[in-house]
Amino acid sequence: QVQLVESGGGSVQAGGSLRLSCVGSGRNFGQNAMAWFRQAPGADRDFVAGITWNGGHTHYGDAVQGRFTISRDNDRNTLTLQMNSLKPEDTAVYYCAGRSSTYPSTSYLNYDYWGQGTQVTVSS
């Protein structure tokens, strides 16, 4: 089983940038698709971005397309989310997640392991 630890959250003004990282421990990190989700208070856990096991394909939610970039370094067991042009509506707890498949899914129900989450707050 892979364990995930996120870092990099914080507070920023609208228009700013943040970079989230997720470090995985365990043998299967490099074989699994990974993704970022986010959850605001009282809301569902929404898909933000996903990436295939080898980084060859990425997919983004409509709300972040063109502003966020997901990437991975399997040699370092690291998943990254670069967030630019942040908006107040991006405020949420951000989670990294992995699934025992080579391709990501947009449904949080299809993921097998999760990080503890990191808070991102964007002020106007």
Side-chain angles (χ1 to χ4, degrees):
Q1 183 73 331
V2 178
Q3 294 182 329
L4 303 174
V5 178
E6 300 104 333
S7 62
S11 297
V12 65
Q13 288 192 328
S17 298
L18 283 173
R19 186 178 182 88
L20 305 183
S21 294
C22 172
V23 178
S25 61
R27 296 184 301 173
N28 296 329
F29 181 92
Q31 303 171 16
N32 293 353
M34 300 294 296
W36 289 95
F37 286 79
R38 66 187 183 186
Q39 189 166 22
D44 292 333
R45 189 166 294 192
D46 292 332
F47 175 80
V48 174
I51 190 166
T52 52
W53 69 278
N54 63 352
H57 178 75
T58 57
H59 181 62
Y60 296 92
D62 291 341
V64 307
Q65 180 75 47
R67 298 188 296 123
F68 291 10
T69 303
I70 188 172
S71 60
R72 68 188 298 164
D73 183 344
N74 287 342
D75 290 336
R76 293 178 171 82
N77 278 15
T78 300
L79 178 73
T80 301
L81 183 69
Q82 177 66 43
M83 305 186 294
N84 297 330
S85 302
L86 283 161
K87 305 175 181 179
E89 51 263 44
D90 294 319
T91 295
V93 177
Y94 283 70
Y95 299 90
C96 65
R99 65 189 299 248
S100 300
S101 171
T102 55
Y103 280 81
S105 168
T106 59
S107 172
Y108 72 91
L109 297 174
N110 292 331
Y111 286 79
D112 303 303
Y113 48 92
W114 294 82
Q116 82 287 356
T118 186
Q119 177 70 46
V120 171
T121 303
V122 184
S123 58
S124 58

